[in-house]
Coordinates of all heavy atoms in Angstrom, one line a residue:
M847 N -6.0 -13.7 3.5 CA -5.8 -12.9 4.7 C -6.9 -13.3 5.7 O -6.7 -13.3 6.9 CB -5.9 -11.4 4.4 CG -4.8 -10.8 3.7 SD -3.3 -10.9 4.7 CE -2.2 -10.8 3.3
Q848 N -8.1 -13.6 5.3 CA -9.1 -14.0 6.2 C -8.8 -15.3 6.9 O -9.0 -15.5 8.1 CB -10.5 -14.2 5.5 CG -11.1 -12.8 5.1 CD -12.4 -13.0 4.3 OE1 -12.7 -14.1 3.7 NE2 -13.2 -12.0 4.2
F849 N -8.2 -16.2 6.1 CA -7.8 -17.5 6.8 C -6.6 -17.3 7.7 O -6.6 -17.8 8.8 CB -7.4 -18.5 5.7 CG -8.5 -19.2 5.1 CD1 -9.3 -18.7 4.0 CD2 -8.9 -20.5 5.6 CE1 -10.4 -19.4 3.5 CE2 -10.0 -21.2 5.1 CZ -10.7 -20.6 4.0
I850 N -5.7 -16.5 7.3 CA -4.5 -16.2 8.2 C -5.0 -15.5 9.5 O -4.5 -15.9 10.6 CB -3.5 -15.3 7.4 CG1 -2.9 -16.0 6.3 CG2 -2.4 -14.8 8.4 CD1 -2.0 -15.2 5.3
K851 N -5.9 -14.6 9.3 CA -6.4 -13.8 10.5 C -7.0 -14.8 11.5 O -6.8 -14.8 12.7 CB -7.3 -12.8 10.1 CG -8.0 -12.0 11.3 CD -9.0 -11.0 10.8 CE -9.7 -10.3 11.9 NZ -10.7 -9.4 11.5
H852 N -7.9 -15.7 10.9 CA -8.6 -16.7 11.7 C -7.6 -17.6 12.4 O -7.8 -17.9 13.7 CB -9.6 -17.5 10.9 CG -10.3 -18.5 11.6 ND1 -9.8 -19.8 11.7 CD2 -11.5 -18.4 12.3 CE1 -10.7 -20.5 12.4 NE2 -11.7 -19.7 12.8
D853 N -6.6 -18.1 11.7 CA -5.6 -19.0 12.3 C -4.8 -18.3 13.4 O -4.5 -18.9 14.5 CB -4.7 -19.5 11.3 CG -5.4 -20.5 10.4 OD1 -6.4 -21.1 10.8 OD2 -4.9 -20.8 9.2
I854 N -4.4 -17.0 13.2 CA -3.7 -16.3 14.2 C -4.5 -16.0 15.4 O -3.9 -16.0 16.6 CB -3.1 -15.0 13.5 CG1 -2.0 -15.3 12.5 CG2 -2.5 -14.1 14.6 CD1 -1.5 -14.2 11.7
N855 N -5.7 -15.7 15.2 CA -6.6 -15.4 16.4 C -6.7 -16.5 17.4 O -6.8 -16.3 18.6 CB -8.0 -15.0 16.0 CG -8.1 -13.6 15.5 OD1 -7.2 -12.7 15.8 ND2 -9.1 -13.3 14.7
A856 N -6.6 -17.7 16.8 CA -6.6 -19.0 17.7 C -5.3 -19.5 18.0 O -5.2 -20.6 18.5 CB -7.5 -20.0 17.0
A857 N -4.2 -18.8 17.7 CA -2.8 -19.3 17.9 C -2.4 -19.3 19.3 O -2.7 -18.3 20.1 CB -1.9 -18.5 17.0
A858 N -1.6 -20.3 19.6 CA -0.9 -20.4 20.9 C 0.6 -19.9 20.8 O 1.1 -19.4 21.8 CB -0.9 -21.8 21.5
A859 N 1.1 -20.0 19.6 CA 2.5 -19.6 19.3 C 2.6 -19.2 17.9 O 2.0 -19.8 17.0 CB 3.4 -20.7 19.7
L860 N 3.5 -18.3 17.6 CA 3.7 -17.8 16.2 C 5.3 -17.8 16.0 O 6.1 -17.5 16.9 CB 3.2 -16.4 16.0 CG 1.7 -16.2 16.3 CD1 1.4 -14.7 16.3 CD2 0.9 -16.8 15.2
A861 N 5.7 -18.1 14.8 CA 7.1 -18.1 14.4 C 7.2 -17.8 12.9 O 6.3 -18.2 12.1 CB 7.8 -19.3 14.8
K862 N 8.3 -17.3 12.5 CA 8.7 -17.2 11.1 C 10.1 -17.9 10.9 O 11.0 -17.6 11.7 CB 8.8 -15.7 10.7 CG 9.2 -15.6 9.2 CD 9.3 -14.1 8.8 CE 9.7 -14.0 7.4 NZ 9.8 -12.6 7.0
T863 N 10.1 -18.9 10.0 CA 11.3 -19.6 9.8 C 12.3 -18.8 8.9 O 11.9 -17.8 8.4 CB 11.1 -21.0 9.1 OG1 10.5 -20.7 7.9 CG2 10.1 -21.8 10.0
E864 N 13.6 -19.3 8.8 CA 14.6 -18.6 8.1 C 14.2 -18.5 6.6 O 14.6 -17.6 5.9 CB 15.9 -19.2 8.2 CG 16.5 -19.0 9.6 CD 17.9 -19.6 9.8 OE1 18.6 -19.9 8.7 OE2 18.3 -19.7 10.9
D865 N 13.5 -19.5 6.1 CA 13.1 -19.5 4.7 C 11.8 -18.8 4.4 O 11.3 -18.8 3.3 CB 13.0 -21.0 4.2 CG 12.0 -21.8 4.9 OD1 11.5 -21.4 5.9 OD2 11.8 -23.0 4.4
G866 N 11.3 -18.0 5.4 CA 10.1 -17.2 5.2 C 8.8 -17.9 5.5 O 7.7 -17.2 5.2
K867 N 8.7 -19.1 6.0 CA 7.5 -19.8 6.3 C 6.9 -19.2 7.6 O 7.6 -19.0 8.6 CB 7.8 -21.2 6.4 CG 6.5 -22.1 6.6 CD 6.8 -23.5 7.0 CE 7.7 -24.2 5.8 NZ 8.0 -25.6 6.1
L868 N 5.6 -18.9 7.6 CA 4.9 -18.5 8.8 C 4.3 -19.7 9.5 O 3.6 -20.5 8.9 CB 3.7 -17.5 8.4 CG 2.8 -17.1 9.6 CD1 3.7 -16.3 10.6 CD2 1.7 -16.2 9.0
V869 N 4.7 -20.0 10.7 CA 4.3 -21.2 11.5 C 3.4 -20.7 12.6 O 3.7 -19.9 13.4 CB 5.5 -21.9 12.0 CG1 5.1 -23.2 12.8 CG2 6.5 -22.3 10.9
I870 N 2.2 -21.4 12.6 CA 1.1 -21.0 13.7 C 0.9 -22.3 14.4 O 0.5 -23.3 13.8 CB -0.1 -20.4 13.0 CG1 0.3 -19.2 12.2 CG2 -1.2 -20.2 14.0 CD1 -0.9 -18.7 11.3
E871 N 1.1 -22.3 15.7 CA 0.7 -23.4 16.6 C -0.6 -23.2 17.2 O -0.9 -22.1 17.8 CB 1.8 -23.6 17.7 CG 3.2 -23.9 17.2 CD 3.3 -25.3 16.7 OE1 2.6 -26.2 17.1 OE2 4.2 -25.5 15.9
Q872 N -1.5 -24.2 17.1 CA -2.8 -24.1 17.7 C -3.2 -25.4 18.4 O -3.4 -26.4 17.7 CB -3.9 -23.9 16.7 CG -3.9 -22.6 15.9 CD -5.0 -22.6 14.9 OE1 -5.6 -23.6 14.5 NE2 -5.3 -21.4 14.4
N873 N -3.2 -25.4 19.7 CA -3.7 -26.6 20.4 C -3.2 -27.9 19.9 O -4.0 -28.8 19.5 CB -5.2 -26.6 20.5 CG -5.8 -25.4 21.2 OD1 -5.1 -24.9 22.1 ND2 -6.9 -24.9 20.8
G874 N -1.9 -28.1 19.7 CA -1.3 -29.3 19.2 C -1.4 -29.5 17.7 O -1.0 -30.5 17.2
K875 N -1.8 -28.5 17.0 CA -1.9 -28.5 15.6 C -1.0 -27.4 15.0 O -0.9 -26.3 15.6 CB -3.3 -28.2 15.2 CG -3.6 -28.2 13.7 CD -5.1 -28.1 13.5 CE -5.4 -27.1 12.4 NZ -6.9 -27.0 12.2
T876 N -0.2 -27.7 14.0 CA 0.7 -26.8 13.4 C 0.1 -26.4 11.9 O -0.2 -27.3 11.2 CB 2.1 -27.3 13.2 OG1 2.6 -27.7 14.5 CG2 3.0 -26.3 12.6
I877 N 0.1 -25.1 11.7 CA -0.4 -24.6 10.4 C 0.8 -23.8 9.8 O 1.3 -22.9 10.4 CB -1.6 -23.7 10.5 CG1 -2.8 -24.5 11.1 CG2 -2.0 -23.2 9.1 CD1 -4.0 -23.7 11.5
N878 N 1.1 -24.1 8.6 CA 2.2 -23.4 7.9 C 1.7 -22.7 6.7 O 0.9 -23.1 5.9 CB 3.3 -24.4 7.4 CG 3.9 -25.2 8.4 OD1 4.5 -24.6 9.4 ND2 3.8 -26.5 8.4
Y879 N 2.2 -21.4 6.6 CA 1.9 -20.6 5.4 C 3.2 -20.3 4.7 O 4.2 -19.9 5.3 CB 1.2 -19.3 5.8 CG -0.2 -19.4 6.2 CD1 -0.6 -19.6 7.5 CD2 -1.2 -19.3 5.2 CE1 -1.9 -19.7 7.8 CE2 -2.6 -19.4 5.6 CZ -2.9 -19.6 6.9 OH -4.2 -19.7 7.1
V880 N 3.1 -20.5 3.3 CA 4.3 -20.2 2.5 C 3.8 -19.3 1.3 O 2.8 -19.6 0.7 CB 4.9 -21.5 2.0 CG1 6.1 -21.2 1.1 CG2 5.4 -22.4 3.2
F881 N 4.6 -18.3 1.0 CA 4.4 -17.5 -0.2 C 5.5 -17.9 -1.1 O 6.7 -17.7 -0.9 CB 4.4 -16.0 0.1 CG 4.2 -15.2 -1.2 CD1 3.0 -15.1 -1.8 CD2 5.3 -14.6 -1.8 CE1 2.8 -14.4 -3.0 CE2 5.1 -13.9 -3.0 CZ 3.9 -13.8 -3.6
N882 N 5.1 -18.6 -2.2 CA 6.1 -19.1 -3.2 C 5.5 -19.1 -4.6 O 4.3 -19.6 -4.8 CB 6.4 -20.5 -2.8 CG 7.6 -21.0 -3.5 OD1 8.3 -20.3 -4.2 ND2 8.0 -22.3 -3.3
D883 N 6.2 -18.6 -5.6 CA 5.8 -18.6 -7.0 C 4.5 -18.0 -7.2 O 3.6 -18.6 -7.9 CB 5.9 -20.1 -7.5 CG 7.3 -20.6 -7.5 OD1 8.3 -19.8 -7.7 OD2 7.5 -21.8 -7.4
G884 N 4.1 -16.9 -6.6 CA 2.9 -16.3 -6.8 C 1.7 -17.0 -6.2 O 0.5 -16.8 -6.6
K885 N 2.0 -17.8 -5.2 CA 0.9 -18.5 -4.5 C 1.1 -18.4 -3.0 O 2.3 -18.4 -2.5 CB 0.9 -20.0 -4.9 CG 0.5 -20.2 -6.3 CD 0.6 -21.7 -6.6 CE 0.3 -21.9 -8.0 NZ 0.4 -23.4 -8.4
I886 N 0.0 -18.3 -2.2 CA 0.1 -18.6 -0.8 C -0.4 -19.9 -0.5 O -1.5 -20.3 -1.0 CB -0.8 -17.5 0.0 CG1 -0.2 -16.1 -0.1 CG2 -0.9 -17.9 1.5 CD1 -1.0 -15.1 0.6
I887 N 0.3 -20.7 0.1 CA 0.0 -22.1 0.4 C -0.2 -22.3 1.9 O 0.8 -22.0 2.6 CB 1.0 -23.1 -0.2 CG1 1.2 -22.9 -1.6 CG2 0.6 -24.6 0.2 CD1 2.4 -23.6 -2.2
R888 N -1.3 -22.8 2.3 CA -1.6 -23.1 3.7 C -1.7 -24.6 3.9 O -2.4 -25.3 3.2 CB -3.0 -22.5 4.1 CG -3.4 -22.8 5.6 CD -4.9 -22.5 5.8 NE -5.3 -22.6 7.1 CZ -5.8 -23.8 7.6 NH1 -6.0 -24.8 6.9 NH2 -6.1 -23.8 8.9
S889 N -0.8 -25.1 4.7 CA -0.8 -26.5 5.0 C -0.9 -26.9 6.5 O -0.3 -26.2 7.3 CB 0.4 -27.2 4.3 OG 1.6 -26.7 4.8
S890 N -1.6 -27.9 6.8 CA -1.7 -28.4 8.1 C -1.6 -29.9 8.0 O -1.6 -30.4 6.9 CB -3.0 -28.0 8.9 OG -4.1 -28.5 8.2
G891 N -1.7 -30.6 9.0 CA -1.6 -32.1 9.0 C -2.9 -32.6 8.3 O -2.8 -33.8 7.7
E892 N -3.9 -31.9 8.2 CA -5.2 -32.4 7.7 C -5.4 -32.0 6.2 O -5.9 -32.8 5.4 CB -6.3 -31.8 8.5 CG -6.2 -32.1 10.0 CD -7.1 -31.2 10.8 OE1 -7.7 -30.3 10.3 OE2 -7.1 -31.4 12.0

């Protein structure tokens, strides 16, 4: 939650995809959060 809050605070755009992925756009960078199989996975290009 701390990471999600930090990413959302700096977000320029927010979206939720049909498959439940949280997509956060930040200054040309996209961060994706997925809850799957008992894990939250945060992925960005880096």
Side-chain angles (χ1 to χ4, degrees):
M847 291 295 155
Q848 288 179 341
F849 276 86
I850 294 171
K851 178 183 177 183
H852 180 267
D853 289 337
I854 291 172
N855 283 340
L860 302 168
K862 181 180 177 183
T863 63
E864 289 183 19
D865 60 352
K867 185 187 303 182
L868 177 62
V869 180
I870 302 171
E871 297 285 337
Q872 294 179 341
N873 299 327
K875 177 173 140 181
T876 302
I877 300 170
N878 298 305
Y879 282 93
V880 178
F881 178 74
N882 192 8
D883 295 328
K885 296 179 182 177
I886 292 179
I887 301 169
R888 177 192 186 269
S889 60
S890 65
E892 302 160 359

